[in-house]
Amino acid sequence: MDTTIGYDIEQAALLLEGGDLVAIPTETVYGLAGNALNPSAVLKIFETKRRPSFDPLIVHVASVEAIPDLVLDFPEDAAKLAEAFWPGPLTLLLPRKEIIPDLITSGLDTVAIRIPSHPLASALLSRLPFPLAAPSANLFGQVSPTTARHVQQQLDGLIPYILDGGNCSVGLESTIVGFPENSLPTIYRLGGIPVEEIERVIGQVRVQPHSSSNPLAPGMLKSHYAPRKPLQLLNPEDVKPTDNTSYLRFCNYLDGVDKSHQLILAPDEDLRTAARNLFSYLRMLDDQSTQTIIAEQLPDIGLGKAINDRLKRAAATE
Ligand code: TXA
Ligand code: MG
């Protein structure tokens, strides 16, 4: 199959209506999209990504009007978060209706819903009569794509079309929030909206991200976002010059190492800049002729928490 990269929303829509997959830009990362209500399109997503079928998918919709058809209930805290952060990098876990294929939720009784803010994603979703299931458009376990070119590097020949929406403005996946009974609202994945901002809207939350032993989020395995070479994550004071190593830095160069082997995530010290650069810089360091990557831990506040989480997973070996 030939993979075309282009800007044609109509072509993307026609392919999706025919049950094919299209990579789409969102403000977080590129998604590998298919008709969420068509089980054979959903199956294609799992096959193309080589993703285990126990890892549930996020369903993307154009607007809140589309949601009552998909979920049984919309708790008050969910409504507050939706009001504050949609469209944007927020995913809500809500009790699913029967219309959602089992494959999407891997049998869980909640479905993950998101309204993305990227203008091309919005235009495409508004044009379609169905929602889009879309995991990040990378092969399972690998670094998430933040440009159309990144998608092409992993999925060329596997999908017919990549809708090119430029660089993702957030650069980290959405924050996933659920509302378990008899418990505080819970963040299951740190992401593009910091914990502090969520708490400003609904008060205290529980943060219980990404553990493979967490049955509510079976897909959140430990080793993920992984470059091909070994990556070590260190406290800033423990980072020392080493041969044959590429460095991922927060805001300054490490003395004693060639600058060509270092990338600075945020020269402006803004964690949003660091988030936007994270995945593409990991790819660039992976492509250098060194043997390992050393990343320094970022300040553990705001988006720094989500970035450190991704780096921990990139460093994990199992
Ligand atoms: O920003 C994003 O969320 C991107 C863009 C494309 O929207 N999508 C994304 O999808 O990151 P994916 O498939 O790479 O990650 C979805 C995560 C998985 O870790 C999965 O386990 C979790 O969402 N998830 C989905 N449905 C769930 C559910 N019902 N309960 C718990 N976790 C769920
Ligand atoms: Mg992913």
Side-chain angles (χ1 to χ4, degrees):
M1 181 187 307
D2 284 337
T3 304
T4 307
I5 300 187
Y7 307 96
D8 189 346
I9 289 179
E10 193 52 32
Q11 188 175 349
L14 291 173
L15 285 163
L16 289 161
E17 283 178 331
D20 282 317
L21 305 187
V22 172
I24 62 163
T26 84
E27 70 281 15
T28 60
V29 300
Y30 276 70
L32 176 61
N35 178 351
L37 304 182
N38 173 349
S40 83
V42 176
L43 187 60
K44 260 191 222 171
I45 295 176
F46 284 95
E47 289 169 351
T48 304
K49 268 199 74 141
R50 292 186 231 137
R51 175 176 174 121
S53 61
F54 54 78
D55 193 1
L57 301 177
I58 296 173
V59 173
H60 299 71
V61 296
S63 67
V64 283
E65 283 79 65
I67 296 177
D69 286 345
L70 308 176
V71 309
L72 295 168
D73 183 32
F74 206 89
E76 196 184 322
D77 282 342
K80 285 188 192 157
L81 291 175
E83 171 73 26
F85 301 117
W86 273 347
L90 170 75
T91 294
L92 299 176
L93 301 182
L94 300 166
R96 66 182 276 212
K97 276 193 174 162
E98 284 295 315
I99 189 175
I100 305 285
D102 285 331
L103 206 50
I104 294 244
T105 62
S106 13
L108 297 170
D109 53 16
T110 55
V111 58
I113 307 266
R114 177 161 111 78
I115 302 181
S117 68
H118 191 291
L120 287 190
S122 300
L124 179 62
L125 285 165
S126 308
R127 153 74 178 74
L128 291 168
F130 48 78
L132 291 175
S136 50
N138 50 281
L139 296 175
F140 183 70
Q142 300 192 10
V143 179
S144 303
T146 53
T147 67
R149 174 73 51 180
H150 293 163
V151 178
Q152 187 191 35
Q153 282 163 2
Q154 294 197 352
L155 301 184
D156 197 31
L158 300 178
I159 54 172
Y161 201 69
I162 301 170
L163 188 61
D164 188 349
N167 296 329
C168 299
S169 60
V170 175
L172 284 177
E173 294 84 351
S174 57
T175 302
I176 301 181
V177 186
F179 309 91
E181 262 176 61
N182 307 318
S183 162
L184 289 174
T186 302
I187 293 183
Y188 293 102
R189 179 175 69 184
L190 299 167
I193 300 193
V195 179
E196 296 90 329
E197 283 193 40
I198 302 273
E199 291 194 321
R200 213 168 295 140
V201 176
I202 57 170
Q204 199 197 341
V205 298
R206 204 159 52 111
V207 182
Q208 193 188 53
H210 284 222
S211 126
S212 50
S213 61
N214 168 13
L216 254 182
M220 291 169 168
L221 308 171
K222 219 172 155 239
S223 170
H224 223 103
Y225 312 100
R228 297 180 303 268
K229 350 179 144 148
L231 178 143
Q232 238 190 316
L233 178 63
L234 298 176
N235 288 321
E237 60 274 20
D238 297 332
V239 178
K240 301 279 171 342
T242 316
D243 287 342
N244 246 318
T245 300
S246 296
Y247 288 85
L248 186 66
R249 305 282 303 162
F250 175 38
C251 59
N252 59 13
Y253 285 108
L254 177 65
D255 286 339
V257 174
D258 196 306
K259 286 188 180 169
S260 68
H261 284 168
Q262 306 191 47
L263 288 175
I264 312 282
L265 280 171
D268 59 3
E269 298 183 41
D270 188 333
L271 290 163
R272 285 169 301 186
T273 311
R276 204 175 302 129
N277 289 328
L278 177 69
F279 289 138
S280 65
Y281 283 13
L282 278 176
R283 284 163 188 268
M284 286 160 69
L285 296 175
D286 210 15
D287 288 340
Q288 293 189 347
S289 62
T290 50
Q291 278 169 2
T292 57
I293 301 170
I294 291 180
E296 81 175 319
Q297 192 118 21
L298 268 58
D300 214 38
I301 48 160
L303 288 178
K305 282 202 181 90
I307 297 170
N308 287 334
D309 168 83
R310 300 305 187 272
L311 290 171
K312 269 181 221 152
R313 268 160 230 288
T317 52
E318 57 186 273

